[in-house]
Amino acid sequence: MNGNEFAAWIRRAAELVTADAQRLTALDAAIGDGDHGLNMARGFGAAVAALDALPEDATPGTVLTTAGRAIVSKTGGASGPLYGTALRRAGKALGDVADVDVTGLAGALQAALDGVRELGRAVEGDKTMVDALAPAVAAFEASVADGDALAEAAQAAVDAGEAGMELTVPMEARKGRASYLGPRSIGHLDPGAASTVLVLLALLDVARAEV
Amino acid sequence: MRLVGLVVVSHSRGLAEGVAELAREMGVHKVRVEAAGGDADGGLGTSVDLIAEAVRAADDGAGVVLLADLGGAVLTAQTFVADAETEVELADAPLVEGAVAAASTAATGADLAAVVAAAHGAYGFRKL
């Protein structure tokens, strides 16, 4: 994937989170503070605006760090630092490579996950975005190790991310506002895991268009 | 003498300004205390740009301690600290008590580590 394809991923993610903003906000209203859809749409919208200002030949690393910086700056909720850090760490991991192969992307996804884990101090089972992202990254890496191309690896990541997202329903939250609800947080899908799946779906859409 | 400055980071502009007002009083109006509350549009949320602006204003040359309320404010403050080029640290502290303890300590000319420790120590003050 070159810089334009990474930009296409962020643009597609912005479309998907904006189209689903009401659902994300409804999920967040059940156990959080009810602004996740709005925040995601605002943050990724700012990322797209920042990408519009980049030169055509910007590297994948520059695309992701630029998008991440815009998201941190404009989101306004906890999702801003988390998604922003994820993208910036991924961008940093890519360095100044002009064309990223699936192995390079696997490494970047792992760096994104590490960044989210460090900042949010969340582990799997806490009912957060990590419950979707961690299995997705593991599935992407396993698929790449099997010799799969981008579209297959992205599909594996989406499948694992969706399964991880569904597993948040019976969990009791240990992070964020939902953690104050204790057992009453059980029975609801985590909005952060839901938005993570949308970002993974955006990668799949871009990968499919490329094949 | 240069004093450690403080920045109060809250989801609410009103809350941040109120805590900053209280901390200024406790810092006997010698300590620079700035508020970074709400998002860039004044709504509930936090903004890394507002934090950056407040840190610049609070910096007297001896470093700046950040105090944050909850969740996203803590994450945004941490994200700012990770990139900061000046001496700045986020205190693990309750917002109001931490700000009061930090301001009181900063006013004595204590260094950054001592002010952070004072803010953290505020967890030990029971109300009853």
Side-chain angles (χ1 to χ4, degrees):
Chain A
M1 283 169 76
N2 62 27
N4 286 324
E5 286 155 344
F6 275 90
W9 174 18
I10 301 300
R11 290 177 198 282
R12 182 65 181 146
E15 285 173 9
L16 293 182
V17 299
T18 303
D20 245 355
Q22 284 191 340
R23 181 179 68 97
L24 294 176
T25 287
L27 290 172
D28 195 33
I31 53 170
D33 55 358
D35 61 3
H36 191 51
L38 176 71
N39 282 338
M40 288 296 286
R42 187 197 289 175
F44 276 82
V48 168
L51 294 183
D52 286 342
L54 279 183
E56 271 289 296
D57 59 352
T59 61
T62 301
V63 166
L64 294 189
T65 50
T66 300
R69 207 176 307 125
I71 287 172
V72 167
S73 180
K74 299 293 179 206
T75 304
S79 52
L82 291 167
Y83 278 100
T85 296
L87 291 177
R88 291 166 69 193
R89 289 286 193 92
K92 212 170 154 191
L94 293 175
D96 54 6
V97 176
D99 211 334
V100 176
D101 62 13
V102 283
T103 309
L105 183 52
L109 291 172
Q110 182 64 53
L113 172 62
D114 292 344
V116 168
R117 276 186 169 143
E118 276 171 40
L119 182 62
R121 296 196 174 89
V123 296
E124 285 177 80
D126 283 349
K127 198 179 181 99
T128 73
M129 63 188 287
V130 169
D131 289 303
L133 188 58
V137 171
F140 189 94
E141 282 172 345
S143 178
V144 167
D146 282 348
D148 288 344
L150 178 59
E152 286 75 38
Q155 183 68 62
V158 166
D159 292 345
E162 283 177 340
M165 173 187 79
E166 293 299 336
L167 287 176
T168 65
V169 174
M171 288 176 186
E172 182 173 331
R174 290 195 290 252
K175 290 284 167 187
R177 181 184 178 277
S179 64
Y180 296 114
L181 303 179
R184 279 172 291 176
S185 66
I186 294 172
H188 300 278
L189 191 70
D190 178 64
S195 59
T196 295
V197 167
L198 294 177
V199 177
L200 295 168
L201 277 168
L203 176 64
L204 178 60
D205 286 350
V206 170
R208 276 182 179 153
E210 190 190 68
V211 174
Chain B
M1 183 172 46
R2 299 195 181 282
L3 300 181
V4 171
L6 305 181
V7 169
V8 180
V9 183
S10 169
H11 282 77
S12 153
R13 183 170 285 183
L15 179 55
E17 285 173 356
V19 173
E21 180 192 17
L22 192 56
R24 272 183 216 115
E25 183 74 22
M26 298 297 174
V28 293
H29 298 279
K30 292 196 295 185
V31 180
R32 296 186 189 181
V33 185
E34 297 292 329
D39 66 14
D41 306 322
L44 291 178
T46 44
S47 155
V48 78
D49 296 343
L50 287 182
I51 295 172
E53 202 178 298
V55 166
R56 272 194 296 276
D59 198 350
D60 186 30
V64 175
V65 174
L66 304 182
L67 294 122
D69 60 1
L70 299 165
V74 174
L75 297 182
T76 304
Q78 277 181 288
T79 307
F80 171 81
V81 169
D83 294 334
E85 285 162 6
T86 57
E87 212 184 349
V88 54
E89 200 169 327
L90 172 64
D92 179 9
L95 187 67
V96 178
E97 291 86 342
V100 166
S104 306
T105 305
T108 68
D111 66 11
L112 188 70
V115 174
V116 169
H120 181 78
Y123 274 124
F125 293 105
R126 308 300 311 180
K127 282 173 192 172
L128 294 175

